[in-house]
Amino acid sequence: MGKNQPGYFGEFGGRYAPEILTEALEELESTYQKLKKSKKFKKELEFYLQNYVGRPSPLTYAERLTKQWGGARIWLKREDLNHTGAHKINNAIGQALIAKFMGKKRIIAETGAGQHGLATATVGAMFGMETVVYMGAVDVERQNLNAKKIEMLGAKILPVTAGEATLKEATSEAMRDWALNVSTTHYIVGSAIGPHPFPTIVRDLQSIIGKEARSQFKKRNHNLPHAIVACVGGGSNAIGMFHAFLKDKHVAIYGAEAGGLGPKPGEHSATLTYGKTGFLHGTKTLIIQDEAGQIVPAHSVSAGLDYPGVGPEHAYLSQTKRVDYRMVTDEQALDCFLEVTRVEGIIPALETAHAFYVARDVAKDLGKKKDLIICLSGRGDKDVTEVLRILGERSK
Amino acid sequence: MSKIKELFESGKFKSAFIPYFTLGDPNYNDSIEFGKTILDGGADILELGIPFSDPVADGPVIQRAVARSLKNKFSFDEIFRVTKQIHLHKQETPLVYLTYFNPIYHCGITKFLDNAKDSGVVGLVIPDLPFDTIESETLFQELRLRDMDLIHLVTPASTKKRIEALRKTSTGFIYYVTSFGVTGERREFSVDLKERIRFLKDTIQLPICAGFGISTPEQASQIAGYADGIIIGSAIQRVIEENGQDASKAKNVLADYITKIRASIS
């Protein structure tokens, strides 16, 4: 496999997984190539997206936020209104269908904030598949509502206590499970990361976000927006939103990544700002690491962004400068979380609050009579307890 | 001729004993002592683990070893220093590094290989670098220039097509993964283990050494009956885990264990 072959985005991507997984990855790739062209598969996916997920998700004009920020008109692509409350279900449904076509009866997943675990547990229940979700023990605590929901749906949660006990460790553990059970199990990777073909499959399944947003906006305004913004951890909602607009050169694209507490190693998850090229969890991408190539623990107030790597396509889009990736600190994200909640009556996920902060700056820079779409990747119910805890500490 | 090829062609043993342990667990200086002990106990090739923060192909015992090692400050200078000390103790025993690709990439391939060779290392095993990547091909060329070996893993899931394809860029020996999953001790092995190893021997003109899950002298003896070598990691690492706080006790237990395994496959 070479960098001009499928699975690479410029120099990034590829398949750097243990040999035991190669056969399964090749099977997944060939199955997906067939299913992509299959009318039956497309029809079935569309059926579930419409009748179970609730697509298309609306494109909402945020009148109050537009007034409040005093710049460009703000539009929200409402992935928070999907079943299970986030974009993650688009991918989980699609991959569960692929698993079904491959005859796999067991699905596993890793999860940080719990939204991907919840989406996987949901499709596991719906399709009657045995489901196991790996979640860092720290995340089981700070995202307890989602952890409880996952169990209620009949999936097994396996808390991971190694290392920082967050998403990175949960991902490693899910890969180990897959290596052991590869003939019976499909690993539903939750973001546009991992060994080829995962970044492409997840991107394709999430690209419905951008396709819908583009056509909904065009239908209402007879043109395209001036800018779009999404938050980036692994980057699945962002790549899903961006993909339909990449060729529209006059549409500015912004990604918001977690600046955490500050610029020191271990304080942030700002992979695209501070990351260096490396190899992690099966892919070549930008990674937060020390000078000896050891991965540095990531931090973010948002469990969903707390990952030291990023999808390889984002690394490529950052290198080519097609997307302007900006950092947002924990404080800035929290302030925006509260502002959007009070002004617009929508409680966004903490992940999405990062995107709102970047959007606020971009909206001001663009000025009036311009249009900006934010991918509202998920709702913030899961974050309420954590936000209240932080606010309580702040007021002490 | 590479050191490993020379060794297998020497006819010194029926089946090679290839122990593994992680450098730096619980500290670098004790690693030197453990390495010497294992060499004295009868290792034919010694595999040294360079710790990496995210060892996805390893089970809990080696994961914990890596975590303990990384509590010490990790540096390549320290890795090479310790390796050289182990090498100088018994220069005729080939040393092999097992690590993940990211640290090597960061060190820089040529710098890493020059230093590794200078420290007595003659081959590499990299579980997350498949043979059909550009980086693996580059690494293979650079290793050949230095008469060093790139040892690939073959698993029960590897297809015939892949096994045939990796012949071109594989030297030293083949690391045959005995079962699905990650490293760690097991009670049973797949029923077709013997047949798979025989198939590999017929397909690839290299020694086939089996690893992942072997821990007892009985298992070692059984598999040595049809494999060119046996690789033991987690069981050795467990001895270090359980006794590592007292280095001299750990050395005694290690010596006893290594001697028993060596005797079982002679």
Side-chain angles (χ1 to χ4, degrees), chain A residues 133-155:
Chain A
V133 176
Y134 289 91
M135 191 168 184
V138 167
D139 291 337
V140 172
E141 282 302 309
R142 62 177 171 171
Q143 300 292 347
N144 199 252
L145 179 64
N146 270 345
K148 289 274 182 291
K149 282 187 193 171
I150 291 167
E151 284 179 330
M152 203 172 272
L153 284 157

Side-chain angles (χ1 to χ4, degrees), chain B residues 133-151:
Chain B
T133 53
I134 291 176
E135 292 80 2
S136 180
E137 284 168 23
T138 306
L139 193 62
F140 180 73
Q141 301 304 336
E142 291 291 335
L143 282 160
R144 287 287 77 206
L145 290 175
R146 293 165 178 81
D147 242 341
M148 294 166 82
D149 290 315
L150 185 54
I151 296 147

Side-chain angles (χ1 to χ4, degrees), chain A residues 23-288:
Chain A
E23 175 60 10
L25 290 164
E26 284 181 352
E27 183 197 4
L28 178 62
E29 187 184 1
S30 63
T31 307
Y32 181 62
Q33 288 307 328
K34 274 182 220 149
L35 291 180
K36 237 168 75 166
K37 292 173 203 147
S38 150
K39 277 186 191 159
K40 190 181 166 221
F41 175 74
K42 279 194 235 173
K43 218 172 153 187
E44 199 170 356
L45 179 61
E46 205 178 290
F47 172 83
Y48 284 111
L49 289 175
Q50 279 178 12
N51 298 292
Y52 193 73
V53 175
R55 301 207 72 89
S57 67
L59 181 71
T60 305
Y61 175 55
E63 195 177 350
R64 293 248 302 149
L65 264 188
T66 301
K67 270 189 198 149
Q68 169 94 355
W69 290 350
R73 288 181 289 259
I74 305 295
W75 301 79
L76 306 174
K77 180 59 180 161
R78 301 293 303 276
E79 294 302 296
D80 61 319
L81 295 181
N82 291 341
H83 177 47
T84 72
H87 68 290
K88 294 289 186 187
I89 192 80
N90 304 325
N91 171 49
I93 287 265
Q95 284 204 50
L97 282 177
I98 296 170
K100 212 175 83 170
F101 275 93
M102 287 193 297
K104 304 273 169 101
K105 306 241 181 290
R106 180 175 180 264
I107 50 176
I108 58 170
E110 84 295 331
T111 196
Q115 287 304 114
H116 175 56
L118 178 60
T120 304
T122 300
V123 297
M126 184 183 57
F127 290 127
M129 290 166 147
E130 182 191 345
T131 307
V132 171
V133 176
Y134 289 91
M135 191 168 184
V138 167
D139 291 337
V140 172
E141 282 302 309
R142 62 177 171 171
Q143 300 292 347
N144 199 252
L145 179 64
N146 270 345
K148 289 274 182 291
K149 282 187 193 171
I150 291 167
E151 284 179 330
M152 203 172 272
L153 284 157
K156 192 186 213 177
I157 282 210
L158 294 177
V160 180
T161 53
E164 300 301 303
T166 57
L167 182 56
K168 175 170 76 85
E169 289 76 21
T171 306
S172 294
E173 215 45 51
M175 283 183 85
R176 291 185 186 110
D177 179 312
W178 202 31
L180 183 63
N181 302 295
V182 69
S183 54
T184 58
T185 300
H186 175 65
Y187 175 14
I188 302 191
V189 171
S191 197
I193 54 171
H196 175 63
F198 281 112
T200 304
I201 292 179
V202 177
R203 192 261 329 268
D204 289 355
L205 291 169
Q206 292 293 4
S207 65
I208 191 160
I209 303 172
K211 279 182 201 155
E212 279 180 10
R214 194 175 183 281
S215 98
Q216 286 165 326
F217 188 87
K218 214 170 170 186
K219 203 169 170 189
R220 281 167 74 165
N221 301 289
H222 308 292
N223 58 13
L224 290 178
H226 299 86
I228 58 172
V229 186
C231 63
V232 182
S236 68
N237 91 88
I239 204 68
M241 179 71 178
F242 296 169
H243 212 252
F245 293 95
L246 286 177
K247 286 183 185 155
D248 302 316
K249 298 291 178 199
H250 56 288
V251 177
I253 305 180
Y254 298 88
E257 63 173 355
L261 299 165
K264 287 187 195 150
E267 288 188 339
H268 59 82
S269 311
T271 319
L272 293 149
T273 306
Y274 296 117
K276 285 182 265 170
T277 303
F279 300 79
L280 178 67
H281 292 146
T283 193
K284 182 178 184 184
T285 187
L286 293 173
I287 298 162
I288 304 169

Side-chain angles (χ1 to χ4, degrees), chain B:
Chain B
M1 190 190 287
S2 84
K3 284 263 163 42
I4 293 176
K5 191 166 190 227
E6 217 171 273
L7 181 76
F8 277 100
E9 287 184 1
S10 71
K12 272 189 197 163
F13 44 73
K14 196 178 97 199
S15 190
F17 175 34
I18 310 173
Y20 161 94
F21 76 100
T22 305
L23 294 174
D25 172 26
N27 60 63
Y28 284 102
N29 286 336
D30 284 352
S31 285
I32 298 172
E33 296 308 311
F34 298 157
K36 288 179 182 173
T37 304
I38 295 171
L39 290 175
D40 289 340
D44 297 304
I45 296 171
L46 176 55
E47 239 182 57
L48 301 170
I50 299 178
F52 175 54
S53 49
D54 298 83
V56 290
D58 284 301
V61 176
I62 292 178
Q63 281 177 54
R64 290 196 297 268
V66 167
R68 286 192 299 271
S69 174
L70 290 175
K71 280 187 181 159
N72 305 303
K73 182 159 173 50
F74 176 87
S75 81
F76 275 110
D77 287 347
E78 196 64 350
I79 291 286
F80 295 133
R81 176 185 77 83
V82 169
T83 306
K84 198 162 195 170
Q85 291 298 309
I86 295 170
H87 169 62
L88 290 175
H89 182 69
K90 214 169 191 183
Q91 297 186 35
E92 66 273 25
T93 309
L95 301 182
V96 166
Y97 274 146
L98 187 146
T99 189
Y100 291 79
F101 188 56
N102 201 51
I104 297 176
Y105 180 78
H106 262 270
C107 187
I109 288 177
T110 53
K111 186 181 164 195
F112 176 80
L113 293 183
D114 288 342
N115 281 295
K117 184 169 183 176
D118 184 51
S119 311
V121 170
V122 299
L124 295 183
V125 184
I126 310 171
D128 64 344
L129 188 67
F131 71 91
D132 53 347
T133 53
I134 291 176
E135 292 80 2
S136 180
E137 284 168 23
T138 306
L139 193 62
F140 180 73
Q141 301 304 336
E142 291 291 335
L143 282 160
R144 287 287 77 206
L145 290 175
R146 293 165 178 81
D147 242 341
M148 294 166 82
D149 290 315
L150 185 54
I151 296 147
H152 287 306
L153 288 100
V154 174
T155 76
S158 302
T159 57
K160 197 177 167 204
K161 199 175 145 201
R162 278 186 74 74
I163 291 169
E164 281 168 354
L166 66 76
R167 277 161 57 181
K168 272 196 285 181
T169 54
S170 196
T171 54
F173 63 87
I174 292 293
Y175 189 137
Y176 184 67
V177 175
T178 57
S179 36
F180 286 88
V182 291
T183 57
E185 297 139 87
R186 287 180 179 79
R187 284 197 189 150
E188 286 172 5
F189 297 95
S190 54
V191 282
D192 62 346
L193 182 60
K194 193 174 176 179
E195 287 69 34
R196 284 284 289 180
I197 289 178
R198 191 167 292 152
F199 165 74
L200 277 173
K201 274 191 184 185
D202 292 343
T203 313
I204 306 178
Q205 309 311 314
L206 285 174
I208 313 298
C209 301
F212 278 43
I214 305 167
S215 62
T216 66
E218 293 72 27
Q219 289 172 332
S221 167
Q222 182 205 330
I223 295 173
Y226 46 85
D228 298 303
I230 58 139
I231 304 161
I232 298 187
S234 291
I236 289 169
Q237 205 66 68
R238 190 183 288 283
V239 170
I240 295 172
E241 179 171 71
E242 287 169 0
N243 305 283
Q245 293 311 310
D246 180 345
S248 72
K249 188 183 168 201
K251 279 166 63 180
N252 288 338
V253 184
L254 267 179
D256 185 47
Y257 179 74
I258 300 292
T259 311
K260 275 185 189 148
I261 297 285
R262 179 64 268 181
S264 75
I265 63 173
S266 295

